[in-house]
Amino acid sequence: MSETIEHFIYGAPARLKRFRTTLPAGVSVRSTQGGLILRETLDAGFDIDSAIARIEALAVLRGVEYDGWGRMVEAADPQGGIDLQSQTFTVRTGVRAGHGFALPLPDGRFGHAIHLGGDKQGYLLVEVSALVTDQPASPDDLQHAPRRYRQPILIWHTGFAALPLAAHVKLAGLPLEIAFRDSIGWPDPDAVAQLERRFKVARTDTPEGWRALLGAMDRSGERLPGIDGFCLVAARVGRTGALKLIWDHDPVEAADRAQRPMPWQPSHMDDVISALRGVPDFIKMTDTVT
């Protein structure tokens, strides 16, 4: 019996266009706002994990975001999980835009962040704090704690736990606008192969291999070749927390790295939680290496 699955891909229009040219036969594509929905039918006995890994590796190679997959079924399951694309972060968690929340960590402690805004495509704009405590902190402690990153970051709205802090204490003023960068250029396959040999890293066409390469380059203080500059992406948040991403495709020089905004590509909350636990910080590595 065959089975049909969908893959969800998001990214800059130019990168999505290049990504489409690399898809294997039998994969259909339709556009959605900000991304692509891929659909393929797998024959009985075909390894779903292999199908997922194949598309995810292509996404990593082309610099777009693989945002998961799903099975096609005859009808929706009324007992299924929350539809995160239609239910806002505030409705799901009780955390209003501009307010702080605590993140339960696997070791029983709590990380913290400020929710700034979100949209219906699954993007959330958050200010991640460096504050990690044994109990959820007060809004005042969160307000005065150092930030984990040099600016707010974008993350995907997935089903992570978030505990609202005092509902009457607002920690960020709205509206606001945060700038991100979208790199222009990318290392070609020969350059990537050379980096694999230099840093003794294999399979950079997989998420694990790519992370290993970025980590090795970050430790050595090197930057990814082939990036000629960047364009700007504005994350604009209205008074109610409604988020809109706006691309300015005019090239910007990348000479002063210290003054560049962070990459626009959304991260996953798992990466934030890992960083707060002391695991090598993939978000920071991506910022410094790309």
Side-chain angles (χ1 to χ4, degrees):
M1 181 178 178
S2 63
E3 183 169 16
T4 301
I5 64 172
E6 289 183 329
H7 310 272
F8 309 105
I9 308 292
Y10 293 91
R15 292 188 176 183
L16 291 172
K17 184 177 180 179
R18 291 194 296 269
F19 172 78
R20 293 181 73 145
T21 66
T22 65
L23 290 173
V27 178
S28 64
V29 185
R30 67 182 176 90
S31 297
T32 185
Q33 186 172 353
L36 304 172
I37 298 175
L38 316 183
R39 183 177 296 182
E40 62 178 322
T41 299
L42 307 177
D43 295 331
F46 191 91
D47 185 0
I48 291 180
D49 289 339
S50 296
I52 296 167
R54 175 180 56 173
I55 301 299
E56 190 171 18
L58 289 174
V60 170
L61 184 64
R62 293 299 179 183
V64 295
E65 179 74 23
Y66 183 86
D67 192 38
W69 64 283
R71 287 181 170 90
M72 293 294 296
V73 295
E74 294 299 325
D77 180 1
Q79 302 302 318
I82 299 169
D83 180 1
L84 295 174
Q85 296 300 314
S86 62
Q87 189 173 25
T88 68
F89 182 69
T90 297
V91 169
R92 184 174 75 82
T93 65
V95 180
R96 291 185 291 168
H99 293 251
F101 62 95
L103 286 164
L105 303 181
D107 61 6
R109 297 181 300 162
F110 295 87
H112 298 83
I114 300 172
H115 167 44
L116 299 176
D119 68 7
K120 292 183 179 180
Q121 300 305 308
Y123 299 126
L124 293 179
L125 183 66
V126 296
E127 178 86 79
V128 181
S129 175
L131 183 65
V132 177
T133 57
D134 291 332
Q135 298 293 330
S138 69
D140 186 64
D141 287 341
L142 175 55
Q143 180 78 72
H144 292 94
R147 298 305 185 236
R148 175 75 196 186
Y149 303 108
R150 55 195 180 89
Q151 67 172 75
I153 63 172
L154 291 165
I155 62 169
W156 290 112
H157 183 187
T158 54
F160 59 86
L163 307 177
L165 303 182
H168 62 284
V169 180
K170 193 172 184 180
L171 300 179
L174 302 176
L176 58 78
E177 180 172 316
I178 305 295
F180 293 89
R181 75 177 191 267
D182 184 22
S183 296
I184 298 172
W186 200 252
D188 59 39
D190 289 341
V192 173
Q194 185 178 31
L195 291 171
E196 287 182 333
R197 292 190 294 270
R198 281 186 55 212
F199 290 99
K200 297 180 172 59
V201 175
R203 298 294 308 279
T204 55
D205 58 343
T206 67
E208 295 77 16
W210 184 249
R211 286 173 182 246
L213 177 62
L214 290 191
M217 295 184 70
D218 182 45
R219 290 189 294 273
S220 71
E222 295 199 34
R223 301 293 179 262
L224 206 62
I227 298 178
D228 303 319
F230 59 91
C231 62
L232 292 176
V233 182
R236 294 179 183 173
V237 181
R239 295 186 183 279
T240 63
L243 170 67
K244 185 175 183 180
L245 297 182
I246 301 172
W247 268 262
D248 179 352
H249 294 287
D250 289 337
V252 178
E253 292 297 327
D256 189 355
R257 290 182 176 273
Q259 298 300 317
R260 299 178 311 171
M262 290 184 68
W264 85 270
Q265 289 85 356
S267 302
H268 290 276
M269 185 54 79
D270 287 349
D271 290 324
V272 174
I273 290 173
S274 294
L276 293 175
R277 292 176 58 203
V279 175
D281 191 335
F282 179 66
I283 298 170
K284 187 172 289 186
M285 285 189 299
T286 302
D287 182 27
T288 58
V289 173
T290 62

